[in-house]
Amino acid sequence: MEALFVSTGVVALAEIGDKTQLLAFILAARFKKPVPIILGILAATLVNHGLAGALGAWITSVVNPGVLAWILGFSFLGMALWTLIPDKMEDDETSAARRFGVFGATLITFFLAEMGDKTQIATVALAAHYGAPLLVVIGTTLGMLLADVPAVFVGDRLSARIPMKLVHTIAAAVFAVLGLVTLWGAATGVKL
C-alpha cells in the first residue's frame, strides 16, 4: 500500500503547475465539456503510466538490485531538481483539438505531453523502486487525476491562488527524501 500512497502523493504534488495541468486548463476553457476531458486524461494517463510501470518492472528484472538502488537513488534526486524547474506549455500540443474532438484531443495531447515528462519518469522509477508496478500505476494515475480534474472545473481561478513554488518545493523534498533513503539503503545494504 505504501507504493500506492507514495505514488499518488508524489505525482499529485509534481503535477501542480505542470504542463499537463496547464493543458487541462486550456482544454476546459476552449471546450467547456469536463466529462470528455476528464475521460481523455484518465485514458491517456493509464496508457502512458501503464507503459512506464511496465518499463520499471522490466528494469527490476534485468538490473542487479544493488546497482538499481544506486540508479534509483540518483534518479529520485534528479527528479527533485527537475520538479523545481517550471514547465512551459507548447502550442503544438493543443493543435490536435481541432481534428479529433474533445475526448480524442485530450487523449492525444495528454499522452504526447506526458512522454518523457517528470511524472512518467517518476512512474518508471517508483515502479522499479517498489516492485509493484500495478499499485504504482494506480497511484500515479490517481495523482494525475487529483491535480488535473480540479483544473478542468475551476481553471485559472484556482491556479492564481495556489502557491506553485511551495507546492513544487514540497514535491521536490519528497523526491529528495526518497532518493536519500534509497541511497542510504544502497550504501548500507539495508533493504527499504
Side-chain angles (χ1 to χ4, degrees), residues 15-33 37 41 89 94 106 110 147-162 164:
E15 184 64 13
I16 295 175
D18 189 73
K19 68 181 172 183
T20 48
Q21 188 181 52
L22 298 175
L23 180 59
F25 288 141
I26 290 168
L27 291 169
R30 180 175 293 159
F31 295 115
K32 296 180 184 14
K33 293 184 178 182
I37 293 170
I41 292 169
M89 186 65 198
T94 60
T106 304
F110 260 78
D148 292 337
V149 169
V152 171
F153 286 109
V154 296
D156 292 327
R157 293 174 295 182
L158 180 62
S159 69
R161 295 186 178 148
I162 295 174
M164 296 296 184

Side-chain angles (χ1 to χ4, degrees), residues 4 7-8 46 49 132-144:
L4 176 70
S7 298
T8 300
L46 283 172
H49 289 200
L134 182 60
L135 287 176
V136 168
V137 170
I138 291 169
T140 59
T141 301
L142 286 173
M144 286 287 286

Side-chain angles (χ1 to χ4, degrees), residues 56-73 128-129 182 185-187 189 191:
W58 176 78
I59 288 170
T60 61
S61 71
V62 297
V63 177
N64 174 297
V67 172
L68 182 60
W70 287 101
I71 293 169
L72 289 173
H129 177 73
T182 303
K191 177 117 172 113

Side-chain angles (χ1 to χ4, degrees), residues 1-189:
M1 292 308 284
E2 179 183 344
L4 176 70
F5 294 129
V6 170
S7 298
T8 300
V10 165
V11 169
L13 286 171
E15 184 64 13
I16 295 175
D18 189 73
K19 68 181 172 183
T20 48
Q21 188 181 52
L22 298 175
L23 180 59
F25 288 141
I26 290 168
L27 291 169
R30 180 175 293 159
F31 295 115
K32 296 180 184 14
K33 293 184 178 182
V35 173
I37 293 170
I38 292 166
L39 292 175
I41 292 169
L42 174 62
T45 303
L46 283 172
V47 172
N48 192 294
H49 289 200
L51 293 170
L55 178 60
W58 176 78
I59 288 170
T60 61
S61 71
V62 297
V63 177
N64 174 297
V67 172
L68 182 60
W70 287 101
I71 293 169
L72 289 173
F74 286 114
S75 295
F76 285 131
L77 292 176
M79 290 299 302
L81 294 174
W82 191 5
T83 301
L84 296 173
I85 300 169
D87 277 326
K88 294 184 179 116
M89 186 65 198
E90 297 175 25
D91 292 333
D92 60 331
E93 290 175 337
T94 60
S95 66
R98 294 179 210 120
R99 291 175 280 195
F100 300 106
V102 178
F103 173 81
T106 304
L107 176 71
I108 292 167
T109 56
F110 260 78
F111 182 82
L112 293 175
E114 275 295 296
M115 292 302 292
D117 194 52
K118 63 186 142 229
T119 51
Q120 185 190 40
I121 304 299
T123 302
V124 172
L126 289 164
H129 177 73
Y130 285 108
L134 182 60
L135 287 176
V136 168
V137 170
I138 291 169
T140 59
T141 301
L142 286 173
M144 286 287 286
L145 293 174
L146 285 172
D148 292 337
V149 169
V152 171
F153 286 109
V154 296
D156 292 327
R157 293 174 295 182
L158 180 62
S159 69
R161 295 186 178 148
I162 295 174
M164 296 296 184
K165 187 172 181 167
L166 174 63
V167 171
H168 287 181
T169 301
I170 292 169
V174 171
F175 279 123
V177 167
L178 283 170
L180 292 172
V181 167
T182 303
L183 289 173
W184 179 79
T188 62

